[in-house]
Amino acid sequence: MLDPLAAVRTPQDPPWDVYLTGTVFLDIIFTGLDSAPVRGTESWARGMGSSPGGVANMATALARLGLRTSLAAAFGDDMYGSYCWDALAEGEGIDLTLSRTVPGWHSPVTVSMAYEGERTMVSHGHEAPPPEEPVVDDPPPSRAAVASLVPGEPQEWIATAAGRGCRVFADVGWDDTGRWDLAALTDLRHCEAFLPNADEAMRYTRTGDPRAAARALAEHVPLAVVTMGREGVCAADGRTGEFVEVPAVVVEALDPTGAGDVFTAGFLTGSLAGWPLADRLAFAGVAAGLSVREFGGSLSAPDWSEIAAWCHRVHNCPAQDPATLCRFGFLRALLTDSDRTWPRRRAVPTIGFRTG
């Protein structure tokens, strides 16, 4: 597998490229719905898949891009938990040294229904009980960390990691309080980059345009990246004043679950590799675009072989737009014919079949 950080690695590097923590869900995804389910009716989906979800989406996307990834999470001791642990540790090579299996705790579950280019999710789960023995809650030494910011709820590990020189990349979820108070995101001051979607960015900045929102956010964080769906992505660098906008990659979408996580993983990869801002945004868009062509949030994430195949098709299309060829020229120079691996595991309708 291609190592995107090969040119910048040294013997003094920390053991991990990226650290992240959060909740692992078992995702059950239904696709091929013609419309949203209607109350009092039964809807049949043309496709179904199961895969690890939640923070596993991000961890898998990072690992498939060749980053040494460490995940701290709780796993249930049910079949779902065992499946997720095996899929991440054995299937993806993610380090779970800081993770734990919780006896008697059932795994959180999310059912995702994809239709009309979007998805609706229903989740169930309970907070994992505290460990019986004290655990080390400090993050391990790593180049970078991914954090999900929660309004009004600072996370001590983020400040600890940033204080050690770790580069923190953050996203944010929907603000159920409805206040959308940027000052409530106290951990933002420890972050290098903030990557909300357009709706979130505009609500936090009280602006009506995602580009204006990106510029406003860049006054609070070194780098603001705002994803705009089919319009692409824009970013404002508060340190240099640079502003970049990149159009979206056009693909036939099957399931958008986890696309935002894959985008962040791609952007983080390019950032650690030292690529220009425009190249980072373009690469992240390709990774996210390729992910929506498959079932599931985590196991739909592309690896370098899939990215290489996409790049080859783009550069060998006779009618290709010259602007597109220019935008992704850096990828062609990066990839080689040796970037071929075995097919990655994909989401399947069931978590396992009985044998024997």
Side-chain angles (χ1 to χ4, degrees):
M1 178 188 293
L2 184 150
D3 180 1
L5 307 188
V8 298
R9 293 197 186 280
T10 70
Q12 292 74 41
D13 287 342
W16 307 114
D17 295 324
V18 190
Y19 166 78
L20 63 166
T21 184
T23 302
V24 173
F25 288 75
L26 174 76
D27 279 358
I28 301 173
I29 307 101
F30 292 99
T31 66
L33 291 165
D34 294 322
S35 61
V38 178
R39 183 174 59 183
T41 67
E42 181 179 17
S43 299
W44 281 81
R46 291 187 291 274
M48 174 187 169
S50 301
S51 66
V55 71
N57 294 341
M58 183 77 71
T60 301
L62 291 163
R64 289 188 173 188
L65 291 177
L67 299 190
R68 301 166 185 171
T69 304
S70 176
L71 170 64
F75 290 78
D77 66 347
D78 51 12
M79 290 180 61
Y80 293 170
S82 297
Y83 162 74
C84 289
W85 184 291
D86 175 72
L88 298 177
E90 303 300 327
E92 306 299 335
I94 296 167
D95 174 70
L96 299 180
T97 302
L98 297 179
S99 294
R100 61 192 176 100
T101 298
V102 183
W105 181 61
H106 73 76
S107 299
V109 175
T110 291
V111 175
S112 175
M113 293 164 281
Y115 53 88
E116 299 174 357
E118 262 300 342
R119 83 272 193 228
T120 297
M121 296 180 288
V122 178
S123 298
H124 173 73
H126 304 280
E127 186 175 349
E132 296 180 359
E133 299 293 334
V135 297
V136 177
D137 57 2
D138 280 351
S142 60
R143 294 173 183 266
V146 180
S148 185
L149 305 185
V150 181
E153 297 182 20
Q155 302 169 65
E156 186 176 347
W157 75 265
I158 296 177
T160 301
R164 295 174 177 168
C166 177
R167 303 167 66 180
V168 181
F169 295 72
D171 60 17
V172 68
W174 189 259
D175 186 356
D176 292 328
T177 69
R179 290 192 288 268
W180 298 98
D181 180 10
L182 194 60
L185 300 179
T186 55
D187 284 328
L188 192 59
R189 67 182 185 273
H190 303 301
C191 300
E192 173 177 323
F194 184 42
L195 298 93
N197 64 34
D199 197 8
E200 295 160 348
M202 290 187 291
R203 288 174 183 270
Y204 271 116
T205 58
R206 308 297 192 269
T207 57
D209 179 78
R211 298 158 188 84
R215 291 187 172 96
L217 288 172
E219 298 177 6
H220 302 272
V221 66
L223 186 60
V225 180
V226 177
T227 55
M228 304 183 294
R230 294 176 181 175
E231 291 187 53
V233 59
C234 64
D237 191 322
R239 298 160 296 191
T240 66
E242 182 182 12
F243 183 85
V244 177
E245 183 172 346
V246 174
V249 174
V250 179
V251 296
E252 184 175 348
L254 173 66
D255 174 21
T257 304
D261 295 321
V262 177
F263 180 93
T264 299
F267 185 81
L268 187 154
T269 299
S271 297
L272 294 186
W275 299 349
L277 180 56
D279 291 352
R280 286 181 271 167
L281 296 176
F283 176 71
V286 169
L290 294 180
S291 76
V292 304
R293 304 186 310 174
E294 304 286 348
F295 283 112
S298 61
L299 302 187
S300 68
D303 64 7
W304 284 106
S305 65
E306 293 167 271
I307 294 168
W310 177 87
C311 186
H312 178 77
R313 288 196 300 273
V314 166
H315 284 87
N316 286 277
C317 177
Q320 188 59 258
D321 175 21
T324 300
L325 296 177
C326 180
R327 187 179 310 120
F328 296 105
F330 77 98
L331 262 184
R332 195 175 193 184
L334 175 70
L335 297 165
T336 67
D337 291 337
S338 62
D339 297 320
R340 300 285 187 269
T341 61
W342 58 90
R344 285 294 187 179
R345 287 207 279 184
R346 298 299 188 193
V348 294
T350 181
I351 62 172
F353 291 96
R354 294 185 181 276
T355 59

